[in-house]
Amino acid sequence: QVRLVESGGGSAQPGGSLSLSCAASGYFYFMGWFRQAPGKEREGVACISRLGGGFAYADSVKGRFTISQDSGKNTMYLQMNSLKPEDTAMYYCAAGGRCSFQANEYNYWGQGTQVTVSS
């Protein structure tokens, strides 16, 4: 059974940092991070091609967020720096067929972890 388990969410002040982890039950070539704020559509944040190491970021997080992986642990990370209130959302990790910001490209999803940025 495929499982993706996120951890590391929480609260931070604007300008602060949080780190998310996603532990996968197996090896997936392409993984991504998405987020969904109340009343908004789920949006892609970052994705990684684990075989080649390529990655991509949404413009809204470029320069602030860093996606990485630990292949030995089948774990993906999202380091979030310079957080803004608009980063507040439920964050999900996903595994799919390619590095994409389209949710329908991903077959497997974690349960989500909440990130709240406020002063």
Side-chain angles (χ1 to χ4, degrees), residues 14 19 21 34 39 51-52 56-57 59 64 68 70 72 75 77 80-82 86 91 96 99 109:
S19 180
S21 300
F34 285 74
L51 187 61
Y57 297 96
D59 288 342
R64 300 187 299 120
S68 62
D70 183 334
T75 301
Y77 305 95
M80 305 183 293
N81 299 326
S82 301
E86 50 263 44
Y91 283 70
C99 183
W109 293 84

Side-chain angles (χ1 to χ4, degrees), residues 8-81:
S11 298
Q13 292 186 339
S17 298
L18 286 172
S19 180
L20 306 182
S21 300
C22 174
S25 60
Y27 186 88
F28 302 95
Y29 288 117
F30 303 99
M31 297 188 71
W33 287 99
F34 285 74
R35 65 186 182 187
Q36 187 167 18
K40 295 187 176 181
E41 293 186 355
R42 189 169 297 191
E43 65 168 339
V45 173
C47 62
I48 187 168
S49 171
R50 301 184 70 193
L51 187 61
F55 47 83
Y57 297 96
D59 288 342
S60 58
V61 306
K62 200 171 293 183
R64 300 187 299 120
F65 290 11
T66 302
I67 190 170
S68 62
Q69 60 167 325
D70 183 334
S71 295
K73 296 181 179 180
N74 278 340
T75 301
M76 178 178 66
Y77 305 95
L78 186 68
Q79 177 65 39
M80 305 183 293
N81 299 326

